[in-house]
Amino acid sequence: MNEYNTLKKLIDKLYSSHSLLREEWTALIAGRSPRLSEYLFCLARKVRHQHYGRDIYIRGLIEFTNYCRNDCLYCGIRKSNPHIHRYRLSESEILACCRQGYKEGFRTFVLQGGEDSFYTDTRMESLIHAIKNRYPDCALTLSIGERSTDSCRHLFGAGADRYLLRHETYDAAHYAKLHPASLSAAARQKCLRDLKDIGFQTGTGFMVGSPYQTVDNLASDMLFIQRLNPHMAGIGPFIPHHDTPFSKQKAGTLELTLFLLGLLRLLLPRVLLPATTALGSIHPYGRELGILAGANVIMPNLSPRHVRDSYSLYDNKLSTGAESAEGLRLLKSQMSAIGYHIVTARGDSLVH
Ligand code: 5AD
């Protein structure tokens, strides 16, 4: 049997059993080709249509603070970057974002920020109450980094529904090359298990093509995601930021990110899978191609315009045009051009 047919059989196995062995993951990822990708994407769309139809869920992303106590080597808002303007949105600014988003049809708001010690549990709780009281029909997602089990419990108790915390990379040695010594893969993974146990709809994910990443690391990521069985999985290409130690590293590719999106759709048929901002940032049709590879979520930026440039995780991050909430009309037409439609709904995960 030639290599294409061998690998095609692995995709068929993943489609029918939702599971592969480590060596099968590595063979598939290392041996991928445009023809194999086409086959994969076809099956991924079929699975996506079975569970989620042609609906696209949107989330209004509110980047409410770019202060961060961490120093991740890849990230533009790391604490030792002195060149960015640090900001925090006030509660009334955040509520104004929600008001505008609600009018436009958003029914999920994502509060995303750096690990900012200003946001104690008490401050977060009051923010959660303020949003959930005004918008009880909306889901509220937090994406604010690692917190103690106790803190996560409080935030869930206050009414937050979902939590996004990418595991970034499963392998401990690889994790250590991307992060300062104060952070560990084990702590990250424990936090994710806690979030799930507490009852959050939980999202994880990783960067594609991050420095030093190997095919074996990616196999570990897929095996970890299978075990965790998250409600959401966000992946996007690593993109260098000029003010970080990784400024000279190569970016992850569109092609590998799309392939992994397709694999994730087959691995976890009901998972919520965003076509991420990073994917849209490396290619003009990145988001459309992500949807055509099996993704079903888009997260436009609802942050006030004057802070958008300061939330610079990586260079050339999209925040205007169809990437922004104001650009929703454009986004809708881009999605209908490829046969999909944006819906006004909470868009809860079908994973349970
Ligand atoms: N390139 C791509 N993604 C990045 N993130 C942070 N920095 C970068 C970068 N340089 C991602 C991380 C984080 C998410 C909020 O943004 O995966 O979890």
Side-chain angles (χ1 to χ4, degrees), residues 74-76 112 143 166 168 188 206-207 236-241 278 311 313-314:
Y74 46 84
C75 185
Q112 186 176 92
S143 177
R166 289 186 176 180
E168 309 298 359
R188 193 81 173 174
F206 57 90
M207 285 179 292
F238 159 74
I239 303 173
H241 183 287
Y311 203 82
L313 303 178
Y314 44 83

Side-chain angles (χ1 to χ4, degrees), residues 149 165 170 185-200 202 204 224 227-229:
T149 314
L165 183 75
Y170 174 78
R188 193 81 173 174
Q189 292 153 24
K190 179 185 180 299
C191 189
L192 276 162
R193 277 186 293 272
D194 283 349
L195 289 164
K196 260 202 104 179
D197 290 346
I198 288 167
F200 278 108
T202 304
T204 193
F224 170 68
R227 284 195 301 280
L228 182 69
N229 189 30

Side-chain angles (χ1 to χ4, degrees), residues 30-90:
R32 70 192 188 278
S33 61
R35 190 167 157 222
L36 196 69
S37 299
E38 262 329 298
Y39 181 70
L40 169 65
F41 299 157
C42 235
L43 275 182
R45 286 195 294 271
K46 180 171 154 186
V47 170
R48 182 256 209 251
H49 296 155
Q50 269 163 15
H51 297 289
Y52 290 105
R54 288 176 169 271
D55 291 354
I56 292 178
Y57 299 139
I58 50 170
R59 314 327 194 169
L61 188 62
I62 305 171
E63 296 162 336
F64 71 112
T65 169
N66 70 351
Y67 283 85
C68 191
R69 74 169 84 96
N70 285 333
D71 223 8
C72 305
L73 278 75
Y74 46 84
C75 185
I77 67 168
R78 65 202 303 267
K79 80 165 168 221
S80 61
N81 180 5
H83 301 298
I84 55 167
H85 165 71
R86 302 281 171 177
Y87 72 89
R88 289 184 187 106
L89 298 182
S90 67

Side-chain angles (χ1 to χ4, degrees), residues 91 95 120-134 155 158:
E91 183 166 309
L95 289 171
T120 57
D121 289 351
T122 313
R123 289 206 171 98
M124 281 311 300
E125 278 168 358
S126 104
L127 204 48
I128 294 166
H129 287 148
I131 296 174
K132 291 293 284 193
N133 284 339
R134 286 172 183 75
L155 302 179

